[in-house]
């Protein structure tokens, strides 16, 4: 598996074995990958009798409440430095220290040691050891390899969490990140007891009618521009709140835009807590990451996002304008 070929794989494995205390971090607005990968690691730590903590700045979406030890997630925006003093800080699926606890600089210097386990190509390499494998379709591939190499097996609960993480990040093996290694990882997880149909029922066939109607509202606003290469829709904060949407209720919605024939760049603007969250998807030759970076964001080549402050209407107009320019001029700076 690719992850094992990374020169830092063994170093991370040694650090996990050496430290008796792990503080595992997830990213904000947590998705299946950060949570499934982190809970699998947390469960291994528990089995090994380590002192483990799993921390996320935002709460656990209901969909993932079947993960092992799900009720033990500590939801907080920051941690007292004293709580990490003797611990290995393990960041899971976090591309930048800005996407997790607010006092990361303090925690990184206070902790006994730190590892950063991730697959984002634009990872800022903020930890002491940065095991970043951009070819992995999910951080779950790296965590699965670590658990296998650790030598204590993978439980059925861990396999279910990791399989969820894997398929939510690679779109059920549809995205171009899907590789031989993704399927190799799935094989290991199925052998360890993961049940694809049960997991799919939990994560994809589990929507409330309110959320389905919210998706419908967004879909009804679909707008094509830039000669049909760009597609966009949007949702206001009160609409999202009115549907009791939690942080993953809108996951996958943007992909509906990519189903339109000829669309190369999809954009979804959602208002959240007075801020604007932009999601971007792309097909070659366009880069979602490049476009998101124009708004201070980042992510993967074909799936990225940005947080944009300012009024909703103005932000929507500037997103459209910037996307139009980007598609017209591509990666050149000719604007
Ligand atoms: Mn991921």
């Amino acid at each position: 598996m690719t992850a094992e070929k990374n020169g830092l794989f063994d170093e991370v494995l040694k650090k996990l074995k050496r430290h008796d205390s792990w503080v595992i971090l997830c990213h904000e607005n947590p998705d299946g990958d950060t949570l499934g990968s982190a809970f699998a690691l947390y469960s291994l730590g528990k089995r090994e009798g380590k002192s483990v903590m799993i921390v996320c700045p935002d709460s656990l979406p209901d969909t993932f409440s079947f993960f092992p030890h799900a009720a033990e997630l500590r939801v907080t925006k920051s941690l007292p430095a004293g709580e990490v003093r003797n611990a290995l800080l393990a960041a899971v699926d976090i591309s930048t220290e800005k996407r997790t606890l607010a006092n990361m600089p303090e925690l990184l210097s206070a902790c006994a040691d730190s590892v950063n386990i991730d697959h984002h190509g634009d990872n800022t390499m903020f930890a002491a050891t940065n095991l970043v494998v951009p070819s992995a379709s999910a951080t779950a591939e790296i965590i699965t390899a670590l658990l296998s190499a650790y030598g204590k097996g993978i439980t059925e609960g861990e396999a279910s969490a990791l399989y969820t993480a894997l398929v939510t990040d690679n779109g059920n093996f549809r995205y171009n990140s899907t590789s031989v290694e993704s399927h190799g990882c799935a094989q290991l997880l199925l052998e360890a007891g993961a049940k694809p149909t049960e997991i799919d029922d939990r994560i994809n066939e589990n929507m409330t009618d309110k959320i389905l109607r919210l998706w419908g509202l967004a879909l009804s606003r679909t707008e094509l521009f830039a000669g049909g290469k760009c597609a966009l829709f949007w949702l206001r904060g009160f609409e999202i709140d009115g549907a009791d949407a939690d942080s993953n209720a809108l996951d996958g919605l943007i992909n509906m835009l990519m189903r339109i024939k000829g669309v190369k760049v999809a954009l979804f603007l959602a208002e959240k807590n007075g801020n604007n969250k932009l999601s971007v998807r792309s097909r070659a030759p366009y880069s979602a990451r490049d476009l998101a970076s124009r708004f201070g964001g980042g992510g993967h080549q074909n799936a990225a996002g940005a947080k944009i402050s300012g009024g909703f209407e103005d932000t929507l107009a500037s997103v459209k304008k910037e996307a139009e320019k980007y598609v017209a001029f591509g990666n050149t700076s000719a604007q």
Side-chain angles (χ1 to χ4, degrees):
M1 204 169 277
T2 317
E4 288 151 329
K5 291 189 190 129
N6 185 293
L8 297 170
F9 184 87
D10 289 338
E11 190 175 317
V12 169
L13 192 60
K14 272 186 209 142
K15 286 188 176 187
L16 288 170
K17 290 197 172 190
R18 189 187 321 136
H19 290 276
D20 291 326
S21 172
W22 303 344
V23 173
I24 302 167
L25 304 180
C26 300
H27 65 68
E28 61 185 2
N29 301 316
D31 60 9
D33 194 23
T34 193
L35 289 166
S37 298
F39 271 111
L41 189 60
Y42 179 82
S43 170
L44 171 70
K46 282 250 156 184
R47 288 198 283 129
E48 284 292 278
K50 309 223 181 230
S51 154
V52 279
M53 193 196 299
I54 179 166
V55 191
C56 184
D58 297 300
S59 58
L60 182 84
D62 234 17
T63 311
F64 305 123
S65 57
F66 69 98
F67 287 169
H69 308 289
E72 289 163 38
L73 183 70
R74 181 154 163 199
V75 179
T76 177
K77 298 287 181 196
S78 65
L79 264 188
E83 295 202 38
V84 302
R85 199 141 281 142
N86 300 310
L88 172 71
L89 203 60
V92 176
D93 194 45
I94 303 175
S95 60
T96 151
E97 60 276 34
K98 296 194 182 85
R99 291 203 66 213
T100 183
L101 300 179
N103 62 330
M104 271 302 271
E106 182 190 10
L107 297 176
L108 283 163
S109 59
C111 67
D113 207 342
S114 59
V115 293
N116 169 9
I117 305 166
D118 185 39
H119 68 134
H120 291 89
D122 58 354
N123 190 291
T124 57
M125 308 291 183
F126 51 86
T129 305
N130 301 284
L131 176 56
V132 177
V133 185
S135 63
S137 71
T139 294
E141 285 185 29
I142 314 167
I143 298 287
T144 301
L146 283 167
L147 258 64
S148 299
Y150 200 97
K152 297 292 170 73
I154 299 177
T155 67
E156 188 177 327
E158 289 157 11
S160 297
L162 287 166
Y163 188 85
T164 302
L166 180 67
V167 299
T168 49
D169 245 38
N170 64 30
N172 294 303
F173 308 103
R174 289 189 301 117
Y175 300 161
N176 70 344
S177 55
T178 301
S179 66
V180 170
E181 284 76 22
S182 319
H183 285 275
C185 177
Q187 179 180 352
L188 278 175
L189 298 173
L190 261 61
E191 283 167 357
K195 299 192 171 55
T197 309
E198 281 179 24
I199 291 170
D200 191 65
D201 275 351
R202 284 187 184 275
I203 60 179
N204 293 320
E205 316 281 295
N206 204 8
M207 221 180 219
T208 63
D209 61 321
K210 276 186 180 177
I211 300 294
L212 187 77
R213 283 176 225 281
L214 184 66
W215 280 47
L217 180 62
L219 293 171
S220 72
R221 288 174 176 154
T222 299
E223 186 184 340
L224 288 167
F225 59 100
K229 284 184 178 162
C230 287
L232 168 148
F233 52 45
W234 47 271
L235 288 171
R236 296 298 300 252
F238 71 89
E239 294 165 339
I240 296 170
D241 294 343
D244 305 323
D246 63 17
S247 70
N248 83 321
L250 301 173
D251 285 359
L253 172 56
I254 187 175
N255 297 321
M256 300 302 284
L257 291 174
M258 295 301 279
R259 296 195 170 199
I260 304 170
K261 192 174 179 181
V263 166
K264 302 282 190 188
V265 175
L267 301 147
F268 170 35
L269 190 69
E271 192 179 29
K272 204 191 163 200
N273 305 330
N275 228 309
N276 305 298
K277 188 177 172 240
L278 175 68
S279 302
V280 189
R281 299 291 180 270
S282 70
R283 282 194 175 92
Y286 302 103
S287 162
R289 186 196 293 153
D290 283 358
L291 183 50
S293 74
R294 297 182 181 203
F295 296 97
H300 303 288
Q301 181 71 5
N302 296 121
K307 271 190 285 188
I308 311 172
S309 54
F312 186 80
E313 300 289 348
D314 290 347
T315 304
L316 188 64
S318 71
V319 162
K320 251 189 87 172
K321 204 170 141 198
E322 199 60 47
E324 209 148 18
K325 267 200 294 187
Y326 174 71
V327 168
F329 297 104
N331 281 331
T332 69
S333 51
Q335 58 236 270

